Amino acid sequence: MKGVYSAPGDYIYFKSQVPLHKIPIGTKQWRYYDFGPKAVPPLICLPGTAGTADVCYKQIMSLSMKGYRVISVDIPRVWNHHEWVQAFEKFLDAIDVHHIHIYGTSLGGFLAQLFAQHRPRRVRSLILSNTFLDTRSFSAAMPWAPIVSWTPSFLLKRYVLTGIRDGPHEPFIADSVDFVVSQVETLSREDLASRLTLTADAASVGPLLLTDSFITIMDTNDYSAIPQQLKDEVSERYPGARRAQLKTGGDFPFLSRPDEVNLHLQLHLRRVGVEARPDLVPGIPKGGSGGSSSEENEKKDPEDPAKDEDPANDDRGSSDNPLAESQLPHAPESSQSHSLDDQLVSNAIVCHFSNVDMMVSLHLGFLKNQHTIPTETVMRLCAEIIALQFLSFYVGSLYISLNCNRRVGQVV
């Protein structure tokens, strides 16, 4: 966290590809990313107190390319939990989303459970990570909560950052901490005050109509800002929930362990019936020479097997594709082509003169790289070889004649 922070390259690429949306709904300003096929029920990511919509950029990029729709939102400026439920429902109505799956971490996981409690028809499943069921312990740790809205910005940021464990980290966890700290610097005083108010305001999650089989609990086993006791209470509340334990990851496994988190998210979505639509992802070719062989094989027309077997209908067989030979089976060679090659090789063995050997080897190298040899080409090459043979014999005999004449002249 020291020195000048430099944004990671994949985040810069993410910002260049995924647009940031900002819409006012009533008195609330919503900031969010929405990426992936609109036909798929969305996975909505709710960050914790120190997070923004940007902290889930690794999930947006990975899952959207697999055909899932991911929406990552900033927690708006709301000052109590009832206001949060109403504001979030209006946001879903504004973006025309009715049924959702929520991935919530820390405060985001708590708010996700509250929304699922009060709007059970809209929440189809939950993924909860390093979260809690009530705010009693946080209220006890913030006796100054009644004046949080008047607290200066630098004090609020310092309080938020003290909840992040400082010290030596492994590189990926250290990078995740640096990224979240950079996001905290972008939050205004009102944003921080409202989130701390939601954390300290007395509230607890009641019974959910959602069955435990539609809940996945994904916690880290090393450490987090949420005490282990609070995480154990969540596991006890949902005994039938799926467990996705991460050995390490710290407070922000979605940044430090994105591959593991994305895998568990994908498994959860499959288990609850969300079907990915990779065919609707822009930029993935539906066929032709632009895609890889595996993608094209998966997208072959099952109703026309003869088309798949015809090499003339496959663009990969063109001479411009250097991988064509490895992707397509070799066409069977006729016995005539083998006899022609054998005949030319035997003719080359007869030639012992250096110039003729060089020419024959060049012609043979050319012939072996061709799959089909026209008859005219074969006849022309044979004629050239015969002519070269006679020429070599003529040059040799002329040389012998000249030597004999010179010796006769010397004797005379």
Side-chain angles (χ1 to χ4, degrees):
M1 293 188 296
K2 297 179 180 180
V4 179
Y5 175 76
S6 178
D10 58 346
Y11 175 67
I12 296 175
Y13 176 76
F14 163 79
K15 295 288 287 183
S16 67
Q17 299 295 318
V18 182
L20 173 64
H21 302 280
K22 296 180 181 180
I23 58 172
I25 303 176
T27 59
K28 307 293 183 296
Q29 180 76 17
W30 287 85
R31 179 180 178 273
Y32 67 99
Y33 295 98
D34 185 355
F35 206 60
K38 298 297 186 291
V40 180
L43 172 68
I44 297 187
C45 301
L46 296 179
T49 305
T52 63
D54 299 66
V55 299
C56 290
Y57 76 92
K58 293 179 181 289
Q59 285 66 53
I60 297 175
M61 293 297 290
S62 175
L63 295 179
S64 63
M65 292 305 296
K66 291 180 172 63
Y68 295 98
R69 181 184 181 184
V70 183
I71 302 174
S72 182
V73 303
D74 271 4
I75 299 176
R77 298 175 189 173
V78 293
W79 302 95
N80 58 70
H81 302 97
H82 180 69
E83 187 181 3
W84 151 253
V85 173
Q86 291 183 335
F88 191 49
E89 185 175 30
K90 292 179 180 179
F91 167 72
L92 296 179
D93 293 336
I95 63 175
D96 195 23
V97 170
H98 302 286
H99 302 111
I100 60 175
H101 305 263
I102 306 180
Y103 168 49
T105 64
S106 188
L107 175 61
F110 175 70
L111 297 178
Q113 295 175 84
L114 287 178
F115 188 78
Q117 174 188 349
H118 293 90
R119 299 294 185 271
R121 294 183 177 181
R122 307 199 74 157
V123 180
R124 293 299 174 88
S125 70
L126 293 173
I127 306 101
L128 306 175
S129 178
N130 294 337
T131 189
F132 48 91
L133 292 174
D134 59 64
T135 60
R136 288 176 298 176
S137 59
F138 301 104
S139 299
M142 287 183 61
W144 50 278
I147 61 170
V148 67
S149 57
W150 292 283
T151 306
S153 177
F154 75 95
L155 290 179
L156 295 177
K157 291 181 179 178
R158 179 178 299 179
Y159 182 80
V160 171
L161 295 178
T162 54
I164 302 175
R165 179 178 176 180
D166 196 6
H169 298 294
E170 59 177 289
F172 290 110
I173 295 180
D175 292 342
S176 69
V177 172
D178 290 342
F179 185 85
V180 172
V181 170
S182 69
Q183 293 299 306
V184 171
E185 295 298 330
T186 66
L187 296 175
S188 65
R189 185 182 68 85
E190 291 78 9
D191 291 331
L192 291 170
S194 66
R195 297 182 186 189
L196 290 175
T197 300
L198 292 175
T199 304
D201 190 23
S204 61
V205 177
L208 303 184
L209 295 181
L210 191 67
T211 59
D212 291 356
S213 60
F214 286 82
I215 300 175
T216 295
I217 299 176
M218 181 166 46
D219 293 336
T220 54
N221 290 336
D222 47 359
Y223 58 84
S224 69
I226 306 302
Q228 186 62 42
Q229 179 183 354
L230 300 183
K231 293 193 291 184
D232 291 340
E233 291 177 358
V234 176
S235 299
E236 294 171 1
R237 171 67 68 87
Y238 311 113
R242 293 295 180 95
R243 298 293 190 274
Q245 297 294 328
L246 305 178
K247 292 183 179 180
T248 60
D251 289 298
F252 317 111
F254 43 87
L255 289 169
S256 60
R257 295 288 183 268
D259 293 338
E260 296 181 48
V261 171
N262 295 340
L263 177 61
H264 288 304
L265 293 177
Q266 189 174 352
L267 292 175
H268 172 89
L269 292 175
R270 288 180 179 179
R271 182 167 55 84
V272 299
V274 179
E275 297 183 1
R277 295 293 303 274
D279 56 310
L280 299 180
V281 178
I284 297 181
K286 304 299 186 294
S289 59
S292 63
S293 60
S294 60
E295 291 174 345
E296 292 176 357
N297 290 333
E298 293 175 358
K299 294 182 176 63
K300 287 183 178 179
D301 188 2
E303 298 179 358
D304 192 6
K307 181 179 179 181
D308 297 337
E309 297 174 359
D310 187 6
N313 293 329
D314 198 336
D315 293 337
R316 294 172 296 175
S318 62
S319 60
D320 295 335
N321 189 351
L323 300 178
E325 295 184 359
S326 62
Q327 294 173 352
L328 291 177
H330 292 287
E333 298 179 355
S334 63
S335 59
Q336 182 181 3
S337 63
H338 282 296
S339 62
L340 288 174
D341 287 341
D342 295 339
Q343 182 180 357
L344 291 173
V345 171
S346 62
N347 291 337
I349 295 174
V350 176
C351 301
H352 298 288
F353 299 95
S354 59
N355 292 334
V356 178
D357 288 339
M358 180 176 67
M359 293 299 296
V360 171
S361 62
L362 290 175
H363 288 310
L364 286 176
F366 170 77
L367 289 174
K368 289 180 179 179
N369 290 330
Q370 307 300 315
H371 294 287
T372 59
I373 306 173
T375 305
E376 296 81 1
T377 303
V378 175
M379 298 301 294
R380 186 172 64 252
L381 293 175
C382 291
E384 291 179 2
I385 293 173
I386 295 172
L388 287 172
Q389 288 178 339
F390 281 109
L391 180 61
S392 62
F393 281 115
Y394 174 74
V395 172
S397 60
L398 182 61
Y399 175 76
I400 294 172
S401 299
L402 291 176
N403 285 339
C404 291
N405 292 335
R406 182 172 56 84
R407 291 176 181 178
V408 171
Q410 291 176 353
V411 171
V412 175

